[in-house]
mmCIF file with all atom_site columns, all heavy atoms in Angstrom:
data_model
loop_
_atom_site.group_PDB
_atom_site.id
_atom_site.type_symbol
_atom_site.label_atom_id
_atom_site.label_alt_id
_atom_site.label_comp_id
_atom_site.label_asym_id
_atom_site.label_entity_id
_atom_site.label_seq_id
_atom_site.pdbx_PDB_ins_code
_atom_site.Cartn_x
_atom_site.Cartn_y
_atom_site.Cartn_z
_atom_site.occupancy
_atom_site.B_iso_or_equiv
_atom_site.pdbx_formal_charge
_atom_site.auth_seq_id
_atom_site.auth_comp_id
_atom_site.auth_asym_id
_atom_site.auth_atom_id
_atom_site.pdbx_PDB_model_num
ATOM 1   N N   . MET A 1 373 ? 169.904 194.016 111.996 1.00 0.00 ? 373 MET A N   1
ATOM 2   C CA  . MET A 1 373 ? 170.839 194.103 113.121 1.00 0.00 ? 373 MET A CA  1
ATOM 3   C C   . MET A 1 373 ? 171.178 195.555 113.443 1.00 0.00 ? 373 MET A C   1
ATOM 4   O O   . MET A 1 373 ? 172.029 195.832 114.280 1.00 0.00 ? 373 MET A O   1
ATOM 5   C CB  . MET A 1 373 ? 172.119 193.327 112.798 1.00 0.00 ? 373 MET A CB  1
ATOM 6   C CG  . MET A 1 373 ? 171.989 191.835 112.951 1.00 0.00 ? 373 MET A CG  1
ATOM 7   S SD  . MET A 1 373 ? 172.044 191.308 114.668 1.00 0.00 ? 373 MET A SD  1
ATOM 8   C CE  . MET A 1 373 ? 173.809 191.094 114.882 1.00 0.00 ? 373 MET A CE  1
ATOM 9   N N   . GLN A 1 374 ? 170.512 196.486 112.766 1.00 0.00 ? 374 GLN A N   1
ATOM 10  C CA  . GLN A 1 374 ? 170.765 197.889 113.037 1.00 0.00 ? 374 GLN A CA  1
ATOM 11  C C   . GLN A 1 374 ? 169.970 198.332 114.267 1.00 0.00 ? 374 GLN A C   1
ATOM 12  O O   . GLN A 1 374 ? 168.795 197.990 114.416 1.00 0.00 ? 374 GLN A O   1
ATOM 13  C CB  . GLN A 1 374 ? 170.360 198.745 111.828 1.00 0.00 ? 374 GLN A CB  1
ATOM 14  C CG  . GLN A 1 374 ? 171.095 198.388 110.556 1.00 0.00 ? 374 GLN A CG  1
ATOM 15  C CD  . GLN A 1 374 ? 172.592 198.516 110.692 1.00 0.00 ? 374 GLN A CD  1
ATOM 16  O OE1 . GLN A 1 374 ? 173.088 199.518 111.200 1.00 0.00 ? 374 GLN A OE1 1
ATOM 17  N NE2 . GLN A 1 374 ? 173.315 197.506 110.251 1.00 0.00 ? 374 GLN A NE2 1
ATOM 18  N N   . PRO A 1 375 ? 170.584 199.084 115.156 1.00 0.00 ? 375 PRO A N   1
ATOM 19  C CA  . PRO A 1 375 ? 169.847 199.584 116.333 1.00 0.00 ? 375 PRO A CA  1
ATOM 20  C C   . PRO A 1 375 ? 168.879 200.682 115.950 1.00 0.00 ? 375 PRO A C   1
ATOM 21  O O   . PRO A 1 375 ? 168.874 201.172 114.829 1.00 0.00 ? 375 PRO A O   1
ATOM 22  C CB  . PRO A 1 375 ? 170.964 200.123 117.234 1.00 0.00 ? 375 PRO A CB  1
ATOM 23  C CG  . PRO A 1 375 ? 172.051 200.502 116.286 1.00 0.00 ? 375 PRO A CG  1
ATOM 24  C CD  . PRO A 1 375 ? 171.988 199.503 115.159 1.00 0.00 ? 375 PRO A CD  1
ATOM 25  N N   . GLY A 1 376 ? 168.062 201.080 116.891 1.00 0.00 ? 376 GLY A N   1
ATOM 26  C CA  . GLY A 1 376 ? 167.077 202.134 116.676 1.00 0.00 ? 376 GLY A CA  1
ATOM 27  C C   . GLY A 1 376 ? 165.810 201.827 117.427 1.00 0.00 ? 376 GLY A C   1
ATOM 28  O O   . GLY A 1 376 ? 165.856 201.348 118.553 1.00 0.00 ? 376 GLY A O   1
ATOM 29  N N   . CYS A 1 377 ? 164.670 202.081 116.816 1.00 0.00 ? 377 CYS A N   1
ATOM 30  C CA  . CYS A 1 377 ? 163.372 201.812 117.438 1.00 0.00 ? 377 CYS A CA  1
ATOM 31  C C   . CYS A 1 377 ? 162.548 201.000 116.444 1.00 0.00 ? 377 CYS A C   1
ATOM 32  O O   . CYS A 1 377 ? 162.620 201.229 115.245 1.00 0.00 ? 377 CYS A O   1
ATOM 33  C CB  . CYS A 1 377 ? 162.620 203.107 117.757 1.00 0.00 ? 377 CYS A CB  1
ATOM 34  S SG  . CYS A 1 377 ? 163.649 204.422 118.471 1.00 0.00 ? 377 CYS A SG  1
ATOM 35  N N   . SER A 1 378 ? 161.767 200.094 116.959 1.00 0.00 ? 378 SER A N   1
ATOM 36  C CA  . SER A 1 378 ? 160.901 199.310 116.079 1.00 0.00 ? 378 SER A CA  1
ATOM 37  C C   . SER A 1 378 ? 159.493 199.913 116.112 1.00 0.00 ? 378 SER A C   1
ATOM 38  O O   . SER A 1 378 ? 159.340 201.128 116.073 1.00 0.00 ? 378 SER A O   1
ATOM 39  C CB  . SER A 1 378 ? 160.908 197.847 116.503 1.00 0.00 ? 378 SER A CB  1
ATOM 40  O OG  . SER A 1 378 ? 160.279 197.052 115.527 1.00 0.00 ? 378 SER A OG  1
ATOM 41  N N   . HIS A 1 379 ? 158.472 199.090 116.251 1.00 0.00 ? 379 HIS A N   1
ATOM 42  C CA  . HIS A 1 379 ? 157.085 199.532 116.140 1.00 0.00 ? 379 HIS A CA  1
ATOM 43  C C   . HIS A 1 379 ? 156.487 199.853 117.512 1.00 0.00 ? 379 HIS A C   1
ATOM 44  O O   . HIS A 1 379 ? 156.929 199.336 118.540 1.00 0.00 ? 379 HIS A O   1
ATOM 45  C CB  . HIS A 1 379 ? 156.252 198.443 115.468 1.00 0.00 ? 379 HIS A CB  1
ATOM 46  C CG  . HIS A 1 379 ? 156.385 197.111 116.157 1.00 0.00 ? 379 HIS A CG  1
ATOM 47  N ND1 . HIS A 1 379 ? 155.632 196.753 117.254 1.00 0.00 ? 379 HIS A ND1 1
ATOM 48  C CD2 . HIS A 1 379 ? 157.199 196.054 115.904 1.00 0.00 ? 379 HIS A CD2 1
ATOM 49  C CE1 . HIS A 1 379 ? 155.980 195.541 117.656 1.00 0.00 ? 379 HIS A CE1 1
ATOM 50  N NE2 . HIS A 1 379 ? 156.926 195.087 116.851 1.00 0.00 ? 379 HIS A NE2 1
ATOM 51  N N   . TYR A 1 380 ? 155.463 200.700 117.511 1.00 0.00 ? 380 TYR A N   1
ATOM 52  C CA  . TYR A 1 380 ? 154.710 200.966 118.743 1.00 0.00 ? 380 TYR A CA  1
ATOM 53  C C   . TYR A 1 380 ? 154.044 199.679 119.232 1.00 0.00 ? 380 TYR A C   1
ATOM 54  O O   . TYR A 1 380 ? 153.684 198.801 118.445 1.00 0.00 ? 380 TYR A O   1
ATOM 55  C CB  . TYR A 1 380 ? 153.624 202.007 118.502 1.00 0.00 ? 380 TYR A CB  1
ATOM 56  C CG  . TYR A 1 380 ? 154.124 203.424 118.329 1.00 0.00 ? 380 TYR A CG  1
ATOM 57  C CD1 . TYR A 1 380 ? 153.733 204.190 117.230 1.00 0.00 ? 380 TYR A CD1 1
ATOM 58  C CD2 . TYR A 1 380 ? 154.970 204.013 119.268 1.00 0.00 ? 380 TYR A CD2 1
ATOM 59  C CE1 . TYR A 1 380 ? 154.172 205.503 117.068 1.00 0.00 ? 380 TYR A CE1 1
ATOM 60  C CE2 . TYR A 1 380 ? 155.415 205.322 119.110 1.00 0.00 ? 380 TYR A CE2 1
ATOM 61  C CZ  . TYR A 1 380 ? 155.018 206.057 118.006 1.00 0.00 ? 380 TYR A CZ  1
ATOM 62  O OH  . TYR A 1 380 ? 155.457 207.349 117.851 1.00 0.00 ? 380 TYR A OH  1
ATOM 63  N N   . VAL A 1 381 ? 153.871 199.597 120.535 1.00 0.00 ? 381 VAL A N   1
ATOM 64  C CA  . VAL A 1 381 ? 153.163 198.488 121.165 1.00 0.00 ? 381 VAL A CA  1
ATOM 65  C C   . VAL A 1 381 ? 152.133 199.083 122.125 1.00 0.00 ? 381 VAL A C   1
ATOM 66  O O   . VAL A 1 381 ? 152.392 200.105 122.761 1.00 0.00 ? 381 VAL A O   1
ATOM 67  C CB  . VAL A 1 381 ? 154.131 197.573 121.945 1.00 0.00 ? 381 VAL A CB  1
ATOM 68  C CG1 . VAL A 1 381 ? 153.388 196.392 122.566 1.00 0.00 ? 381 VAL A CG1 1
ATOM 69  C CG2 . VAL A 1 381 ? 155.253 197.076 121.044 1.00 0.00 ? 381 VAL A CG2 1
ATOM 70  N N   . GLY A 1 382 ? 150.978 198.441 122.221 1.00 0.00 ? 382 GLY A N   1
ATOM 71  C CA  . GLY A 1 382 ? 149.946 198.950 123.134 1.00 0.00 ? 382 GLY A CA  1
ATOM 72  C C   . GLY A 1 382 ? 148.725 198.074 123.107 1.00 0.00 ? 382 GLY A C   1
ATOM 73  O O   . GLY A 1 382 ? 148.769 196.924 123.519 1.00 0.00 ? 382 GLY A O   1
ATOM 74  N N   . MET A 1 383 ? 147.630 198.592 122.589 1.00 0.00 ? 383 MET A N   1
ATOM 75  C CA  . MET A 1 383 ? 146.414 197.801 122.492 1.00 0.00 ? 383 MET A CA  1
ATOM 76  C C   . MET A 1 383 ? 146.495 196.805 121.336 1.00 0.00 ? 383 MET A C   1
ATOM 77  O O   . MET A 1 383 ? 145.679 195.889 121.250 1.00 0.00 ? 383 MET A O   1
ATOM 78  C CB  . MET A 1 383 ? 145.199 198.714 122.341 1.00 0.00 ? 383 MET A CB  1
ATOM 79  C CG  . MET A 1 383 ? 145.017 199.664 123.525 1.00 0.00 ? 383 MET A CG  1
ATOM 80  S SD  . MET A 1 383 ? 143.482 200.607 123.451 1.00 0.00 ? 383 MET A SD  1
ATOM 81  C CE  . MET A 1 383 ? 142.327 199.393 124.105 1.00 0.00 ? 383 MET A CE  1
ATOM 82  N N   . ALA A 1 384 ? 147.457 196.982 120.473 1.00 0.00 ? 384 ALA A N   1
ATOM 83  C CA  . ALA A 1 384 ? 147.788 195.997 119.440 1.00 0.00 ? 384 ALA A CA  1
ATOM 84  C C   . ALA A 1 384 ? 149.291 195.793 119.496 1.00 0.00 ? 384 ALA A C   1
ATOM 85  O O   . ALA A 1 384 ? 150.034 196.686 119.902 1.00 0.00 ? 384 ALA A O   1
ATOM 86  C CB  . ALA A 1 384 ? 147.365 196.492 118.062 1.00 0.00 ? 384 ALA A CB  1
ATOM 87  N N   . VAL A 1 385 ? 149.749 194.635 119.076 1.00 0.00 ? 385 VAL A N   1
ATOM 88  C CA  . VAL A 1 385 ? 151.187 194.383 119.152 1.00 0.00 ? 385 VAL A CA  1
ATOM 89  C C   . VAL A 1 385 ? 151.936 195.290 118.185 1.00 0.00 ? 385 VAL A C   1
ATOM 90  O O   . VAL A 1 385 ? 153.037 195.752 118.482 1.00 0.00 ? 385 VAL A O   1
ATOM 91  C CB  . VAL A 1 385 ? 151.505 192.896 118.900 1.00 0.00 ? 385 VAL A CB  1
ATOM 92  C CG1 . VAL A 1 385 ? 151.198 192.480 117.470 1.00 0.00 ? 385 VAL A CG1 1
ATOM 93  C CG2 . VAL A 1 385 ? 152.950 192.602 119.253 1.00 0.00 ? 385 VAL A CG2 1
ATOM 94  N N   . HIS A 1 386 ? 151.365 195.554 117.000 1.00 0.00 ? 386 HIS A N   1
ATOM 95  C CA  . HIS A 1 386 ? 151.851 196.603 116.112 1.00 0.00 ? 386 HIS A CA  1
ATOM 96  C C   . HIS A 1 386 ? 150.847 197.742 116.262 1.00 0.00 ? 386 HIS A C   1
ATOM 97  O O   . HIS A 1 386 ? 149.891 197.845 115.497 1.00 0.00 ? 386 HIS A O   1
ATOM 98  C CB  . HIS A 1 386 ? 151.926 196.118 114.663 1.00 0.00 ? 386 HIS A CB  1
ATOM 99  C CG  . HIS A 1 386 ? 152.913 195.023 114.453 1.00 0.00 ? 386 HIS A CG  1
ATOM 100 N ND1 . HIS A 1 386 ? 152.903 194.200 113.353 1.00 0.00 ? 386 HIS A ND1 1
ATOM 101 C CD2 . HIS A 1 386 ? 153.965 194.598 115.209 1.00 0.00 ? 386 HIS A CD2 1
ATOM 102 C CE1 . HIS A 1 386 ? 153.897 193.322 113.437 1.00 0.00 ? 386 HIS A CE1 1
ATOM 103 N NE2 . HIS A 1 386 ? 154.544 193.545 114.557 1.00 0.00 ? 386 HIS A NE2 1
ATOM 104 N N   . ASP A 1 387 ? 151.075 198.537 117.272 1.00 0.00 ? 387 ASP A N   1
ATOM 105 C CA  . ASP A 1 387 ? 150.068 199.514 117.658 1.00 0.00 ? 387 ASP A CA  1
ATOM 106 C C   . ASP A 1 387 ? 149.927 200.604 116.598 1.00 0.00 ? 387 ASP A C   1
ATOM 107 O O   . ASP A 1 387 ? 150.817 200.807 115.761 1.00 0.00 ? 387 ASP A O   1
ATOM 108 C CB  . ASP A 1 387 ? 150.428 200.131 119.009 1.00 0.00 ? 387 ASP A CB  1
ATOM 109 C CG  . ASP A 1 387 ? 149.210 200.537 119.825 1.00 0.00 ? 387 ASP A CG  1
ATOM 110 O OD1 . ASP A 1 387 ? 148.094 200.106 119.472 1.00 0.00 ? 387 ASP A OD1 1
ATOM 111 O OD2 . ASP A 1 387 ? 149.359 201.274 120.806 1.00 0.00 ? 387 ASP A OD2 1
ATOM 112 N N   . VAL A 1 388 ? 148.824 201.310 116.669 1.00 0.00 ? 388 VAL A N   1
ATOM 113 C CA  . VAL A 1 388 ? 148.516 202.343 115.687 1.00 0.00 ? 388 VAL A CA  1
ATOM 114 C C   . VAL A 1 388 ? 149.615 203.407 115.662 1.00 0.00 ? 388 VAL A C   1
ATOM 115 O O   . VAL A 1 388 ? 150.234 203.708 116.673 1.00 0.00 ? 388 VAL A O   1
ATOM 116 C CB  . VAL A 1 388 ? 147.150 202.986 115.986 1.00 0.00 ? 388 VAL A CB  1
ATOM 117 C CG1 . VAL A 1 388 ? 146.023 202.021 115.702 1.00 0.00 ? 388 VAL A CG1 1
ATOM 118 C CG2 . VAL A 1 388 ? 147.076 203.478 117.432 1.00 0.00 ? 388 VAL A CG2 1
ATOM 119 N N   . GLY A 1 389 ? 149.833 203.957 114.471 1.00 0.00 ? 389 GLY A N   1
ATOM 120 C CA  . GLY A 1 389 ? 150.828 205.011 114.341 1.00 0.00 ? 389 GLY A CA  1
ATOM 121 C C   . GLY A 1 389 ? 152.159 204.542 113.801 1.00 0.00 ? 389 GLY A C   1
ATOM 122 O O   . GLY A 1 389 ? 153.058 205.345 113.579 1.00 0.00 ? 389 GLY A O   1
#
Side-chain angles (χ1 to χ4, degrees):
M373 282 283 272
Q374 301 301 313
C377 317
S378 191
H379 54 84
Y380 287 128
V381 182
M383 299 187 82
V385 67
H386 296 162
D387 211 14
V388 290

